[in-house]
Amino acid sequence: PAPVVAPVPDQPDDLKLIVGIGPALEKKLHAHGISGYRQLATLSDEDIDQLETAIKAAGRIRRDDWIGQAKTQHFRKYGEQL
């Protein structure tokens, strides 16, 4: 089953601003319905495990703290704390 994610933003966020996400991983994330900081920032542990398996990035999301970075980027862009 696909991870349960937050609503898709009207315009995709630049996920490449998150350390550890380059153009290739950004494309994989988009292919799995992740295009916004809020979506990354609100992933559950189960969602992270499923997503890492799907994009073949074992351990990467937690190791590079994509969740924390996504929260920071979301706050910078939208002024909203997650």
Side-chain angles (χ1 to χ4, degrees), residues 15-55:
L15 300 179
K16 296 183 303 299
L17 294 177
I18 294 173
V19 175
I21 299 178
L25 277 175
E26 184 179 50
K27 280 185 184 177
K28 288 181 181 182
L29 289 168
H30 287 177
H32 286 87
I34 306 289
S35 62
Y37 300 132
R38 176 187 295 275
Q39 292 172 298
L40 268 181
T42 58
L43 290 176
S44 69
D45 284 336
E46 185 178 331
D47 294 336
I48 291 170
D49 293 340
Q50 290 175 4
L51 186 59
E52 284 182 335
T53 299
I55 65 173

